[in-house]
Amino acid sequence: MQLLATLGRRLLVVLPILFVVSALLFTALRVLPVDPAAMSMPPTATRDEIEAARRAMGLDQPLPQQYAIWLGHVVHGDFGRSIHLRRDVVELVRQTLPATIELALCAMLVAAVLGLAGGLLLFALRDNPAEPVAETGTTLMMSVPEFLWALLFIFVFGVALQAMPFTGRLDPGMIRPDITGFLLLDALLAGRLDILRSAAAHMVLPAFALGIAFAPPIMRVLRSSLLDVYHEDYIHQARLRGLSETRILLRHALKNAILPTLTLMGVQFGFLFGGSLLVEVIYSYPGLGNLMVDAVRNADLPIIQAVGLTYCVVVLVINSVVDGLYLTLNPRLRAR
Amino acid sequence: MAGISRRMLLQATAGAGLGSLAAPRIAHAAGDSATIGWPSDVPAWDPNQRFVPDAQSLYKMVFDQPLNQDPKLTLVGALVKKWEMAPDARSLNLEFRDDVMFSNGDKFTSSDFSWTFFDRIKAGHKVDIAQSMRKVIGIDTPTPTTAVMRFDSPAPTTPVWLAFLGSFVVPRAYMEKVGLEGFNAKPVGTGPYTLAEYQMNARIVLERNETYWGPKPALKRITVEVIKDPSARVAAIQSGQVDITINVPVREVLRLKQAPGLVGELNPITRVILLQVRNDEGFADPNVRLAAHHAIDKKALSQAFYGGAAVPLTVPATPGSPGYLDDYTFAYDPELAKQLLAKSGFSPEKPKKIRMASTNGQFPNDFDMARAIVAMWKKVGIEAELEVIEYAKYFELNRGNKLPEATLYSFDNATGDPEIYAGYLLNPKLPFSPWKDMVFGQKIIDMFNVADEKERIAGWRKLNQEAAELGATMPLLQSVQTLVRKQNLEYQRFGNGWVLGQTMRWSG
């Protein structure tokens, strides 16, 4: 009950944050030197026709009034129509969001597995001559931006080894089952192992490209937390009880050391979700990032606004979920 | 079972799983299908909706245009068998084929033509062809195979527009039945292929239309992989994940053409690269404008950025198009440029200061080309401050009269018609032109109403030369389309860069 109350309180904070973000987003986009009215017309349109389009789009109104009108529509779930694609923006976001969430979750899984395994390895190598080498390795992983990882992976696994596909989400000729929009899940639900295999193969490179740079911070935080935990009395007592080092690490130390790591992963997921833009473009991955890049290129303000807010909502929801997990795993916080 | 431990079982399972994922999927069937790596998606499957040059090839596989262009860009019949423009260019008689079916089984008639180019616009559909058909005041359909387009003023380029951007025929009955959303979800055309699968920003799968009225495509299936990143397109053709791709960097074409089994092409197309210039501020003085033009070594630009394949231009038209002047030259002459500048009191020591804008990444090597021009200008006494603008910003800046003296610009005109080059690039009333002087501008505007074809072409040719001599335009290069394909995949090359699945076939 206390957990739910805490979560409820945190979710309440989301509303004013969303309001502020929406206002900032709206204002920033309106002061940019692009002309959505002109972008909505073909290049052959005359100045008068563009002016007429501007009036029809309400762009001749004062900014606060434009915002009020837009917000009024948004609270009713109406983000308007795309200027360039002339389609319902909510529908476009609905079609592309699951792909990006799926990619971000897979990338998070990659980051978590590499991060946790690497953190344990770093911890095991403490005071070892190999430690500086491992540290350098993590620095390198962190220094390379995700788009460069993406290109490197394409070159190595796509071109040189020709081992992995790197465009789209499925092999040509496969028709995806459209149940939830989450392709891996849909393939399972439809019992199509061929589609599952193809979708998983297409996911490997983008997920690694996106996730790999997020692993080193997890490694370092885990290693640092483990070092702290190993100074606690219960670790000494466990040794006195004759428990093996592996058992002490996995059963006692890791359980406590993982909490700060979990918080970090929650924060990272937001960055990771936002970082999908270039990776999606490079891998022709049809997600929200790809949609956003096109929208920016075409000054498609309704899409930019909707996608921007969607990113915000997803990050806030993930943070709330992580908070909830943190409360669940850490009884001391629940007692406060 | 005693010999199999849990660890072994897990290891075997994991190994098999990874192995199956890593198995190469590059197994394209050469024979009846091909995969195209394309740099952009369609904005929607309603082909009348937006003017997007890169989408025309995609639309042409699913839809037909009333008129078509042959590889040399001559207008030829398609759904229209015969066409005849009235001497005053105020009406156009059309006669249609009577053997055309839409892919849903409906027969194509003049009613569909009228719906596409007039009725749906009047019904309030927001389609870009409302712009190209703005002079149309009615379409009469006396029989199912004839139509008469009527215009409010001379519209001599209407036949050209019927083969240009967005002019694809859509079915009246089907569109009225399913609505726009329904049509976008399941488009129906009369083209050589039908849409079998579509995933926005990822993939288009087309199946051969077995009831197509024209020559049957050799390939049964065309898959279009939408690959926006040029490096990824290079990787895709190199790894065999696609069979043909376009718009890859020039240096990659030169590299890949050495690779076994691949062919690299630099094909000149109807796209022009030019400097759009103002007639005021730092360019108010014609000496400065002409000096700026004389100072540009276009051959060197072509060699440096297009491997010499891009043809230097003197007028805003491409070689072979009606507005091009074979016998007119505008010399690269830095000494003359210096003399012109000296007349106005400028020199390399006392340079004329101007601003210049360029996109970065809108077309291959745009920003590098702009930097090279700035360097050429500096040698003769023009100091240009270079700024990067987004393509989307061009029209906004021009509308606010805020473009700098010169802007590097790329303009696509698949038809090659001179009106759609100079008529748009230099018309002060249209958003392309930063040139606002109405003395020359009015001549451009007046040309739109010339009905006689010979007089029209001659007029545009004269204005093209006048524009260059006035310094109202600085055409640089005929752009090239970069293309890499598998050696045994043949396709028909078009002068405007169309890459059409219906012209592809495997050889050998």
Side-chain angles (χ1 to χ4, degrees):
Chain A
M1 202 55 202
Q2 193 189 358
L3 176 67
L4 284 176
T6 310
L7 273 177
R9 275 200 302 276
R10 302 213 167 163
L11 283 172
L12 274 181
V13 179
V14 166
L15 290 176
I17 292 176
L18 277 176
F19 179 75
V20 172
V21 169
S22 71
L24 285 175
L25 196 61
F26 190 89
T27 310
L29 290 174
R30 286 304 184 280
V31 297
L32 277 180
V34 293
D35 185 356
M39 295 300 288
S40 74
M41 303 290 286
T44 48
T46 62
R47 284 163 205 273
D48 290 345
E49 287 164 335
I50 292 170
E51 283 308 321
R54 181 170 292 104
R55 284 193 296 278
M57 292 164 83
L59 295 170
D60 58 337
Q61 303 290 323
L63 194 60
Q65 202 170 330
Q66 287 184 41
Y67 177 67
I69 294 168
W70 175 77
L71 195 61
H73 289 137
V74 166
V75 294
H76 289 99
D78 177 10
F79 280 81
R81 291 181 80 79
S82 152
I83 291 172
H84 182 63
L85 305 173
R86 292 182 184 157
R87 289 173 61 190
D88 182 42
V89 169
V90 172
E91 180 59 20
L92 288 167
V93 171
R94 191 197 66 75
Q95 281 179 12
T96 49
L97 180 61
T100 298
I101 291 178
E102 195 167 73
L103 171 61
L105 286 173
C106 289
M108 197 67 239
L109 183 68
V110 168
V113 170
L114 289 179
L116 294 178
L120 291 173
L121 180 68
L122 281 180
F123 180 70
L125 289 176
R126 66 191 184 280
D127 304 326
N128 186 297
E131 190 180 11
V133 179
E135 290 278 358
T136 310
T138 59
T139 307
L140 182 72
M141 280 169 75
M142 220 161 29
S143 313
V144 179
E146 59 264 19
F147 73 87
L148 199 52
W149 280 120
L151 292 172
L152 279 170
F153 287 157
I154 285 179
F155 176 73
V156 174
F157 298 104
V159 178
L161 301 175
Q162 300 201 1
M164 300 300 290
F166 56 85
T167 58
R169 295 176 85 187
L170 276 180
D171 287 343
M174 283 186 170
I175 307 290
R176 67 192 182 99
D178 196 2
I179 304 168
T180 64
F182 294 92
L183 186 53
L184 294 169
L185 181 63
D186 287 351
L188 273 176
L189 292 174
R192 292 289 302 273
L193 291 181
D194 56 334
I195 289 181
L196 181 66
R197 176 179 167 277
S198 176
H202 282 76
M203 183 62 84
V204 170
L205 294 187
F208 267 86
L210 189 57
I212 198 165
F214 289 90
I218 298 173
M219 292 177 196
R220 290 179 177 189
V221 168
L222 181 62
R223 174 184 175 275
S224 168
S225 300
L226 283 169
L227 286 173
D228 288 344
V229 165
Y230 264 65
H231 287 107
E232 299 284 340
D233 289 343
Y234 65 87
I235 298 293
H236 298 298
Q237 286 165 5
R239 285 210 180 97
L240 289 175
R241 279 192 284 145
L243 298 182
S244 71
E245 282 299 318
T246 309
R247 193 177 170 85
I248 290 171
L249 175 65
L250 298 179
R251 290 286 166 90
H252 297 277
L254 189 60
K255 199 174 160 185
N256 289 299
I258 203 137
L259 287 172
T261 316
L262 190 65
T263 309
L264 175 72
M265 282 161 62
V267 174
Q268 278 187 323
F269 189 85
F271 290 114
L272 194 143
F273 194 73
S276 66
L277 266 76
L278 285 178
V279 170
E280 285 189 11
V281 170
I282 290 170
Y283 286 102
S284 307
Y285 189 87
L288 210 54
N290 219 326
L291 182 71
M292 182 68 150
V293 169
D294 275 353
V296 170
R297 192 174 292 151
N298 294 309
D300 203 331
L301 301 193
I303 291 185
I304 299 174
Q305 285 159 182
V307 174
L309 270 186
T310 305
Y311 276 118
C312 182
V313 169
V314 169
V315 169
L316 289 172
V317 167
I318 292 294
N319 282 348
S320 299
V321 169
V322 171
D323 282 349
L325 274 175
Y326 204 70
L327 287 170
T328 309
L329 293 173
N330 193 342
R332 279 180 301 179
L333 285 178
R334 286 204 300 272
R336 282 180 197 168
Chain B
M1 287 299 284
I4 301 174
S5 69
R6 191 174 66 166
R7 176 173 293 183
M8 282 169 68
L9 188 66
L10 284 172
Q11 282 173 344
T13 309
L18 284 173
S20 69
L21 286 183
R25 57 136 217 176
I26 307 152
H28 291 292
D32 64 355
S33 68
T35 302
I36 303 173
W38 200 252
S40 57
D41 198 358
V42 294
W45 277 107
D46 176 354
N48 307 142
Q49 189 175 291
R50 299 305 320 247
F51 287 166
V52 179
D54 282 347
Q56 299 310 298
S57 291
L58 305 178
Y59 286 141
K60 281 188 82 71
M61 289 190 260
V62 178
F63 302 94
D64 279 316
Q65 301 191 270
L67 292 170
N68 206 353
Q69 289 176 278
D70 70 10
K72 291 188 174 174
L73 308 186
T74 307
L75 271 186
V76 293
L79 298 181
V80 170
K81 279 200 301 191
K82 288 182 193 165
W83 69 101
E84 189 182 1
M85 179 63 81
D88 62 356
R90 284 175 179 267
S91 65
L92 176 67
N93 289 318
L94 301 165
E95 186 182 334
F96 302 106
R97 301 180 66 94
D98 65 353
D99 58 348
V100 179
M101 307 292 283
F102 285 101
S103 58
N104 65 343
D106 290 353
K107 189 173 169 68
F108 160 74
T109 68
S110 57
S111 170
D112 300 301
F113 178 86
S114 175
W115 165 254
T116 303
F117 294 101
F118 187 70
D119 299 341
R120 69 174 302 205
I121 297 167
K122 291 292 164 204
H125 290 200
K126 289 196 170 179
V127 287
D128 279 3
I129 58 163
Q131 290 295 321
S132 53
M133 296 294 137
R134 75 172 87 191
K135 288 184 175 178
V136 180
I137 51 172
I139 297 178
D140 303 328
T141 52
T143 73
T145 55
T146 56
V148 181
M149 297 180 86
R150 290 182 284 106
F151 313 110
D152 63 359
S153 57
T157 53
T158 300
V160 170
W161 273 100
L162 289 178
F164 193 29
L165 288 173
S167 293
F168 297 90
V169 173
V170 293
R172 177 195 290 267
Y174 179 71
M175 202 173 243
E176 283 179 335
K177 184 179 158 199
V178 301
L180 279 178
E181 298 289 340
F183 187 85
N184 273 315
K186 200 176 174 194
V188 162
T190 59
Y193 288 95
T194 58
L195 183 68
E197 188 203 339
Y198 174 60
Q199 192 170 8
M200 189 173 71
N201 282 332
R203 178 172 298 141
I204 299 164
V205 181
L206 305 172
E207 300 282 359
R208 186 166 62 199
N209 177 2
E210 300 296 345
T211 60
Y212 185 54
W213 58 270
K216 202 175 190 180
L219 302 182
K220 220 171 170 182
R221 170 180 284 212
I222 296 290
T223 301
V224 179
E225 299 280 0
V226 179
I227 309 174
K228 294 177 185 171
D229 183 72
S231 309
R233 286 199 296 280
V234 170
I237 186 75
Q238 203 174 350
S239 63
Q241 294 196 24
V242 301
D243 303 312
I244 182 169
T245 192
I246 63 160
N247 290 11
V248 297
V250 174
R251 64 178 180 281
E252 294 294 344
V253 176
L254 300 177
R255 180 177 70 82
L256 289 173
K257 70 198 287 188
Q258 310 296 329
L262 291 180
V263 173
E265 298 176 9
L266 296 170
N267 300 324
I269 52 171
T270 45
R271 189 170 291 184
V272 293
I273 300 169
L274 75 168
L275 287 174
Q276 286 286 75
V277 297
R278 296 176 70 108
N279 57 305
D280 54 4
E281 297 190 350
F283 267 177
D285 182 348
N287 284 336
V288 177
R289 294 198 302 268
L290 292 171
H293 196 175
H294 281 298
I296 299 171
D297 185 349
K298 298 169 189 175
K299 266 190 187 168
L301 293 178
S302 172
Q303 199 60 47
F305 301 114
Y306 294 99
V311 179
L313 298 178
T314 52
V315 292
T318 52
S321 69
Y324 187 72
L325 306 173
D326 287 304
D327 49 354
Y328 176 66
T329 54
F330 194 98
Y332 162 58
D333 191 342
E335 286 309 311
L336 177 58
K338 282 182 188 171
Q339 287 168 21
L340 286 165
L341 284 168
K343 277 189 205 169
S344 297
F346 301 108
S347 67
E349 292 73 36
K350 190 190 160 199
K352 172 70 185 172
K353 293 189 176 177
I354 61 165
R355 293 179 305 131
M356 178 184 177
S358 169
T359 49
N360 191 353
Q362 178 68 22
F363 60 92
N365 301 315
D366 46 1
F367 187 65
D368 292 334
M369 194 184 299
R371 288 201 307 181
I373 292 168
V374 169
M376 289 171 186
W377 281 348
K378 195 172 182 182
K379 286 181 189 167
V380 299
I382 297 173
E383 191 177 305
E385 187 189 333
L386 182 60
E387 60 184 282
V388 174
I389 59 166
E390 292 295 319
Y391 181 72
K393 231 171 128 180
Y394 178 88
F395 296 106
E396 171 66 8
L397 288 171
N398 196 22
R399 195 178 62 84
N401 209 18
K402 288 178 187 163
L403 277 177
E405 281 86 348
T407 305
L408 187 64
Y409 194 72
S410 162
F411 185 80
D412 194 35
N413 170 12
T415 70
D417 191 89
E419 178 182 294
I420 300 170
Y421 280 128
Y424 286 88
L425 287 166
L426 293 168
N427 185 342
K429 298 285 185 193
L430 290 180
F432 299 100
S433 175
W435 183 270
K436 306 296 180 199
D437 161 45
M438 283 308 291
V439 176
F440 181 69
Q442 193 57 48
K443 294 182 186 176
I444 293 281
I445 293 166
D446 291 344
M447 275 306 298
F448 277 74
N449 290 321
V450 175
D452 181 76
E453 185 65 7
K454 277 187 183 166
E455 190 188 334
R456 190 177 81 84
I457 298 298
W460 284 117
R461 288 167 67 89
K462 190 167 165 243
L463 283 183
N464 277 346
Q465 182 168 341
E466 191 177 335
E469 288 170 353
L470 191 62
T473 181
M474 295 182 201
L476 300 173
L477 299 170
Q478 177 182 18
S479 190
V480 295
Q481 180 189 62
T482 55
L483 182 147
V484 183
R485 61 180 167 91
K486 287 183 178 165
Q487 199 166 27
N488 56 343
L489 180 65
E490 295 174 354
Y491 81 109
Q492 175 65 60
R493 191 187 300 172
F494 283 83
N496 53 17
W498 287 341
V499 176
L500 306 176
Q502 57 265 40
T503 71
M504 292 177 187
R505 66 178 63 244
W506 293 99
S507 65

